[in-house]
Amino acid sequence: MSPKKIIKSMTALFASMAFLFAGNALIVTSIGVVLKERGEGPLVVGIISSCFFIGGLIGTISAHKIISKIGHIRSFGLFGAIFGISAMLHTISNNLIFWAILRFLIGVCYYGFLMVIESWLNEKSKNAIRSRILGFYEIVFYLSFGIGTLIIALNLSRHNVFILSAALILFSSLPLNLIKIKEPILPASSPISIPKIFDIAPLAIITSFIAGILINGFFSMAPLFILLQKFNNQAVSYFTFCGILGGFFAQTIMGTISDKLGRKFAIITCSSIGFFTMLVFIFFKPCLYIQYCLSFLLGMGIFCLYALALARANDVLVIKNKGVELGRGVLFCYSLGSLFGPLILGFLMQYFNTKGFIWFYISLLGFLILFTINRPHILSKKFNKKPGNMVMLDD
């Protein structure tokens, strides 16, 4: 089946994604702005943001059991209800511990959503077209997330931001319940074995871990990066949106490049774009409008990495029904990286201001480039050659 037919058959799922990602954007990107307005420092922002990803780790481990028992559609509705309630509860208290708990619950639900979506997509797509299907998934993500971040430029009150976010999340359950769609077969519950998955797909694991650090570090701390330069909330919204727009642009071409030239080549290309973009911040002092352009390029560099990691992991999959387990391992590493990103950035920006943000990205992107180029060959007995991993720069 062609990519277009597969995407058309899952219209309801992609419609639900659009509401979900737009609502999540308000929660993720507004937290730094709200806490900064309350006079909290970068370290506090990083800690509160990290609670979301602690929940993500728990969600990655536990959501599979829920999906195995009640199915994909009902799981989607359950996660949506808890997410929406948690978002609305932000409006009843300013207590930071209470907010940390709410962020934890939202993280559990959001990564539960990702488990539902990605296991669904992986079951429906073959290796030869997987990057294009995942690329379309990422396009929906970044377009919807971009719309969510632009809402911040409207300078809505904190109360309205959280209520609107909750409404979008609750709306996300409607398409799956109103439009007829065939959900995947219920997967069997199984534990995550990171060492086993790393032995099979080391490049996928390392890339997903670094992608989690970079992508969610950007979403959580890029607003603070702009605010520390004495710019306003509107600049925060536009800077974040430009990064997402760069991710959208890259997804329109990177899926095809990955399928034709190999995952390894695509990972090196994306990492290099982000690496050289951040060097510009070091050697020059760009004005705000140039920073918007650089944010666009950084988005091109980092926002494709997780989809490439997921495609790489599934390339080495031999047993079809192990797709959920493998995808869950990759998502677990992504969420683990997402936990460390805001924490480390919060510490670095607390003591080194904006320079901490810049050098953080340069260091990790440089490491990923070197690891991808010099990755040891350990897959010879387990890796079956398939389209998407049999040409330039791939083993």
Side-chain angles (χ1 to χ4, degrees), residues 110-258:
Y110 182 68
Y111 278 79
F113 278 128
L114 295 184
M115 281 292 302
V116 171
I117 292 169
E118 291 174 8
S119 64
W120 204 325
L121 293 178
N122 277 321
E123 183 173 302
K124 296 294 183 180
S125 56
K126 297 180 180 179
N127 287 317
I129 60 172
R130 179 170 283 111
S131 274
R132 277 165 281 183
I133 299 298
L134 293 177
F136 184 79
Y137 158 52
E138 295 290 318
I139 288 171
V140 172
F141 171 81
Y142 291 117
L143 279 177
S144 304
F145 207 100
I147 292 172
T149 57
L150 284 178
I151 295 175
I152 297 175
L154 300 177
N155 288 320
L156 299 176
S157 68
R158 186 193 71 186
H159 179 274
N160 288 338
V161 166
F162 289 126
I163 293 298
L164 180 57
S165 172
L168 289 169
I169 295 299
L170 294 174
F171 271 123
S172 70
S173 295
L174 294 181
L176 286 177
N177 286 282
L178 294 176
I179 303 174
K180 186 177 180 180
I181 184 172
K182 183 179 180 181
E183 62 180 319
I185 299 172
L186 291 179
S189 180
S190 59
I192 296 176
S193 177
I194 298 301
K196 181 174 67 176
I197 295 173
F198 183 85
D199 187 46
I200 297 173
L203 180 57
I205 292 299
I206 295 298
T207 301
S208 64
F209 179 73
I210 292 179
I213 295 176
L214 299 179
I215 294 172
N216 292 293
F218 180 87
F219 287 143
S220 300
M221 304 305 287
L224 198 58
F225 174 73
I226 293 298
L227 293 175
L228 287 174
Q229 299 179 65
K230 309 303 181 183
F231 297 119
N232 57 21
N233 292 350
Q234 190 175 58
V236 168
S237 177
Y238 294 156
F239 183 85
T240 308
F241 177 76
C242 286
I244 294 168
L245 191 64
F248 165 75
F249 177 77
Q251 292 293 349
T252 61
I253 59 175
M254 198 53 64
T256 300
I257 291 175
S258 172

